[in-house]
């Protein structure tokens, strides 16, 4: 997308590899590693649970789904496990959206890079993404 003549370049459709790549932090910084990993999990879970930038304020008031309530800090205090407050996941989702929204905005099909979700889709849509439960 940043080449002088991007129309003369393509991303090939073949899957070359599918390593489970994700956030990486400095060795020995366990708290930061936990924060990075659980933030990614929160973004993935938010997409699966239907939490978006557009509806997060309403959902953060509380729902009948305890996993959404725990994720958004209206029930329990998961953030305390790694030194954050109850609203840590809410702020992460507000910053850029859930995982699907971030993918679409940065490298998705409507961007110059134009990638389809493929294996980066939710497990419920034929991809490999899932998050552990928030309990």
């Amino acid at each position: 997308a940043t080449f002088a003549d991007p129309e003369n370049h393509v991303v090939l459709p073949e899957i070359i590899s599918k390593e489970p790549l994700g956030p990486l932090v400095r060795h020995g910084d366990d708290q930061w590693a936990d924060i990075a990993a659980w933030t990614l999990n929160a973004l993935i879970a938010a997409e699966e649970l239907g939490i978006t930038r557009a509806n997060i304020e309403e959902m953060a008031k509380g729902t009948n789904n305890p996993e959404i309530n725990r994720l958004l800090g209206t029930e329990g205090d998961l953030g305390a496990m790694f030194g954050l407050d109850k609203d840590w996941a809410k702020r992460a989702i507000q910053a850029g959206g859930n995982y699907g929204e971030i993918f679409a905005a940065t490298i998705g099909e409507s961007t110059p890079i134009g990638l389809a979700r493929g294996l980066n889709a939710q497990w419920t849509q034929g991809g490999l993404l899932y998050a552990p439960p928030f309990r």
Side-chain angles (χ1 to χ4, degrees):
T2 61
F3 287 134
D5 55 351
E7 63 280 348
N8 291 327
H9 297 84
V10 297
V11 176
L12 298 175
E14 292 81 15
I15 296 173
I16 297 171
S17 66
K18 57 180 187 226
E19 297 96 20
L21 303 175
L24 186 64
V25 301
R26 177 177 58 96
H27 178 72
D29 195 343
D30 295 340
Q31 182 182 17
W32 185 238
D34 287 344
I35 291 169
W38 280 101
T39 299
L40 176 60
N41 288 334
L43 298 173
I44 292 169
E47 181 183 12
E48 182 176 343
L49 294 167
I51 304 167
T52 66
R53 286 178 83 182
N55 70 12
I56 194 165
E57 288 299 334
E58 187 62 32
M59 295 190 102
K61 292 176 184 175
T63 71
N64 61 0
N65 183 327
E67 189 158 8
I68 292 173
N69 296 340
R70 287 188 296 266
L71 178 63
L72 298 181
T74 57
E75 187 177 306
D77 191 6
L78 293 175
M81 292 188 300
F82 34 87
L84 300 177
D85 64 20
K86 292 181 178 191
D87 291 332
W88 66 275
K90 178 182 174 188
R91 284 192 306 276
I93 298 161
Q94 286 173 317
N98 64 38
Y99 184 93
E101 290 174 301
I102 294 169
F103 188 99
T106 56
I107 60 174
E109 292 181 276
S110 64
T111 70
I113 296 172
L115 292 179
R117 286 289 293 270
L119 295 176
N120 282 303
Q122 291 277 327
W123 68 275
T124 56
Q125 298 169 347
L128 299 175
L129 292 185
Y130 67 94
F134 281 77
R135 6 182 173 173

